[in-house]
Amino acid sequence: MAQIEKIEKDISDLKIKWSDGEESKFNYMWLRDNCPTAHDKDSHHRMFNILDVSKDLSIKDFKVDEAGSLQVQWSEGDHTSYYDPSWLRKNCYTLKNKSKYVSPYSLWNKDLKNEFDLICIEHDEILDTDEGLIKWLELLHHKGIAIVKNAPVEKKSAFPLLNRISHIRETFFKTPFEVINIPKPNNSAYTAHALRNHMDLPWFELPPGYQFLHCLVNSANGGDSSAVDGFAVAEYLKNNENEIFETLINIPLKFRDMDYTQESHRNFHAPAISLTKDGDFHDIRFSVATMDVLDCHPDVMEKVYKAHHRFGNLLHDEKFQVNFRLGPGDIYSFNNRRILHGRTAFDPNSGHRHLQGYYMDRDEIIGRLNYLKK
Ligand code: OGA
Ligand code: ZN
């Protein structure tokens, strides 16, 4: 553990030199805001209010005491703060900003098919062990896809498994939603038609982060599944066709819910690809079926359509796609804002096909994984 070797003070920061040669800057407002006494011990909510100090807050005195803690006496509020050096080092934003960002995502293409067993996991392993649950969550977070094998095939029987993670994201499609062909369908999923690669519900401000398609019966001819890693396609465009990539991240498209059973008109503008604060991929929004009449500026409509066209074609390119067939007891689980999914048409007269679908927010997957790994 590095020790504090030297401290210097300037008008807005303390500069710490550590015994291993690293240097950190700690801003006065930041230090005051993060005084260890600032938080309630039970709720962990901040009770101290930074708005109660003036913008000219400064330091009257500082030292490293016998216990090795940094003591800071503030210019106002008659308060002294005591910081553990290991806490300072762990939360040092100088070093954090110096380190290279490492993406949690492992991107994949058609070659995933060669190691398909690596993304398959036994239902009971998840239900019975934390190791199984962690493995499932890691697949969902890092690869964006996992197939749960040997789940029960009774209706609604995926709840105990999903509740190992957390609660469900409810929508008007109800939980589970029934993927079965019905007369006068309100959604093209509820037909026997092919579904081109798509995400579900892109017209929500926040489309569901994850989707779980639980196969109960799949005995009809056809109805094979597909998956494509939208982040991998985005990465390809970023590296090879940058103008198209820039259009996709910068110009919002419009999506709309056209469900005739709804007494609600939901729509949302968002770009086809959005990025995180680190420039990593955050979301893909792609669905030919529910893209609305676009209303982009006339000067950019041509390039928006060319970019959409190129992106859509790559999202169906066999170089990027894996094809597989769900069997009874499989749960096709995936990041709905990264992985595009589809199916081939099936013949409803040749047999029966029934999937039950569930959604969950991305926070639930990542939050649970963070907790279990801690
Ligand atoms: C859906 C869907 C896939 C399938 O319900 O949104 O994409 O295999 N279904 O039926
Ligand atoms: Zn779908």
Side-chain angles (χ1 to χ4, degrees):
M1 216 338 265
Q3 305 295 315
I4 297 176
E5 205 166 83
K6 198 171 134 205
I7 308 180
E8 275 170 33
K9 167 185 167 185
D10 71 15
I11 184 157
S12 58
D13 303 87
L14 281 184
K15 206 159 95 187
I16 291 186
K17 196 154 181 234
W18 300 93
S19 54
D20 62 357
E22 295 288 1
E23 283 187 16
S24 310
K25 261 173 123 177
F26 293 105
N27 172 267
Y28 293 160
M29 286 277 197
W30 184 95
L31 280 170
R32 182 65 191 90
D33 205 26
N34 290 298
C35 173
T37 62
H39 293 83
D40 176 65
K41 69 175 179 12
D42 297 317
S43 70
H44 302 298
H45 280 192
R46 185 181 272 101
M47 294 293 129
F48 167 72
N49 185 353
I50 192 72
L51 307 184
D52 291 342
V53 302
S54 81
K55 67 178 175 30
D56 302 319
L57 175 76
S58 186
I59 282 180
K60 226 194 260 176
D61 202 7
F62 65 87
K63 67 171 185 195
V64 177
D65 65 19
E66 305 79 55
S69 295
L70 170 65
Q71 260 186 42
V72 175
Q73 203 184 332
W74 296 103
S75 61
E76 46 188 87
D78 190 24
H79 188 77
T80 302
S81 300
Y82 302 82
Y83 303 90
D84 179 348
S86 63
W87 183 90
L88 287 171
R89 180 63 184 238
K90 184 163 156 250
N91 290 281
C92 165
Y93 53 89
T94 312
L95 296 176
K96 277 189 187 174
N97 277 278
K98 261 205 312 206
S99 65
K100 196 172 172 309
Y101 172 77
V102 182
S103 174
Y105 304 125
S106 112
L107 308 183
W108 51 265
N109 57 25
K110 71 166 180 23
D111 298 334
L112 182 69
K113 196 68 211 230
N114 304 331
E115 45 177 40
F116 209 67
D117 52 328
L118 295 182
I119 64 160
C120 293
I121 174 159
E122 284 295 313
H123 173 270
D124 288 358
E125 195 185 333
I126 301 170
L127 210 57
D128 297 341
T129 70
D130 279 356
E131 291 70 32
L133 177 57
I134 290 172
K135 183 177 161 198
W136 189 31
L137 292 167
E138 285 183 332
L139 284 170
L140 292 173
H141 185 39
H142 301 310
K143 287 219 187 295
I145 184 170
I147 315 285
V148 177
K149 305 298 283 185
N150 295 310
V153 292
E154 283 73 43
K155 287 178 186 160
K156 302 190 178 186
S157 58
F159 274 115
L161 188 83
L162 295 172
N163 291 337
R164 286 280 283 148
I165 307 178
S166 191
H167 55 270
I168 301 299
R169 160 81 180 265
E170 199 54 73
T171 74
F172 66 77
F173 292 105
K174 302 293 179 226
T175 308
F177 52 92
E178 306 289 347
V179 186
I180 194 161
N181 58 312
I182 56 171
K184 197 164 163 40
N186 59 330
N187 189 297
S188 50
Y190 307 159
T191 63
H193 301 159
L195 298 176
R196 309 296 305 278
N197 292 339
H198 66 284
M199 65 176 289
D200 281 14
L201 322 188
W203 35 262
F204 269 129
E205 178 186 8
L206 187 67
Y210 280 83
Q211 180 170 170
F212 304 85
L213 289 170
H214 181 194
C215 178
L216 305 183
V217 197
N218 197 9
S219 64
N221 293 332
D224 291 349
S225 301
S226 59
V228 61
D229 185 353
F231 288 178
V233 173
E235 173 85 355
Y236 172 85
L237 287 172
K238 183 179 171 184
N239 294 334
N240 297 285
E241 300 177 31
N242 200 252
E243 225 176 288
I244 287 180
F245 180 73
E246 289 293 320
T247 303
L248 294 171
I249 61 172
N250 285 317
I251 303 184
L253 306 172
K254 189 178 180 197
F255 296 91
R256 135 173 102 113
D257 167 34
M258 288 169 281
D259 190 313
Y260 76 83
T261 65
Q262 289 298 294
E263 294 179 351
S264 172
H265 291 158
R266 299 175 177 90
N267 64 69
F268 197 71
H269 283 91
I273 302 170
S274 68
L275 305 179
T276 67
K277 73 173 179 61
D278 297 297
D280 203 345
F281 302 115
H282 183 54
D283 282 341
I284 302 295
R285 290 221 192 205
F286 182 86
S287 161
V288 166
T290 60
M291 194 161 85
D292 200 357
V293 179
L294 291 189
D295 52 7
C296 313
H297 193 279
D299 293 352
V300 299
M301 192 59 92
E302 167 75 1
K303 78 171 181 182
V304 166
Y305 257 102
K306 290 273 157 71
H308 169 64
H309 192 264
R310 178 68 178 141
F311 190 35
N313 274 312
L314 286 172
L315 291 171
H316 291 88
D317 191 314
E318 63 181 41
K319 285 200 292 287
F320 287 105
Q321 179 170 300
V322 290
N323 303 298
F324 54 96
R325 184 172 177 85
L326 292 174
D330 287 353
I331 304 177
Y332 175 14
S333 341
F334 55 94
N335 181 337
N336 181 53
R337 290 187 269 130
R338 165 179 175 185
I339 308 301
L340 290 304
H341 64 290
R343 69 151 190 250
T344 61
F346 61 94
D347 173 6
N349 298 316
S350 64
H352 193 48
R353 188 178 194 274
H354 187 188
L355 313 185
Q356 288 194 316
Y358 303 76
Y359 297 119
M360 200 179 282
D361 284 327
R362 199 182 273 178
D363 308 74
E364 303 310 311
I365 308 296
I366 298 175
R368 188 86 167 109
L369 183 59
N370 287 341
Y371 176 84
L372 289 166
K373 294 285 278 189
K374 193 167 70 166

